[in-house]
Amino acid sequence: MTLTYKVLAQGQLSNVAGVLLTVPAGHQYIIKQIRLVNATGGTNRTVQLYVNGTAAANSIYPSTTLAAGTLLDDVGTITLNAAETLQGVAAAATEITFTVCGLDITI
């Protein structure tokens, strides 16, 4: 078993719900930090994050507003097993960046 703390995923949210990361076979991810950044100059944007699907029951961030020029840090713990996903969507494409950090456990 190998344990590695690292950036698990990084990019920009789309305005259509999509997969941000999928845990590969033989691995388990323990997400320790999710950072969302609204780098726009003057526009507030809403974001939503989900685990294993985009139904309301899968939401871990229900329609959260990020003010322009701000960030949101979540330091909770989310455990994902092989083939499980983290998904997200923003009100506008390419305006919210995300960074997901945590532990990659090779089983």
Side-chain angles (χ1 to χ4, degrees):
M1 180 182 300
T2 305
L3 308 173
T4 307
Y5 191 85
K6 65 181 191 176
V7 173
L8 301 171
Q10 192 169 40
Q12 293 182 314
L13 292 177
S14 174
N15 60 343
V16 177
V19 175
L20 309 181
L21 68 83
T22 301
V23 180
H27 291 257
Q28 181 181 58
Y29 287 172
I30 299 176
I31 297 171
K32 297 300 290 180
Q33 179 189 26
I34 299 173
R35 174 172 281 184
L36 301 171
V37 179
N38 180 353
T40 62
T43 306
N44 296 346
R45 294 292 184 212
T46 58
V47 299
Q48 287 184 272
L49 295 180
Y50 309 88
V51 171
N52 297 324
T54 58
N58 301 88
S59 180
I60 60 171
Y61 279 65
S63 196
T64 302
T65 300
L66 286 177
T70 65
L71 63 87
L72 175 116
D73 264 330
D74 184 330
V75 292
T77 300
I78 300 169
T79 302
L80 298 176
N81 295 305
E84 293 187 319
T85 61
L86 178 68
Q87 295 167 283
V89 63
T94 71
E95 293 188 356
I96 303 294
T97 59
F98 68 90
T99 304
V100 180
C101 298
L103 197 58
D104 179 0
I105 302 170
T106 304
I107 302 170

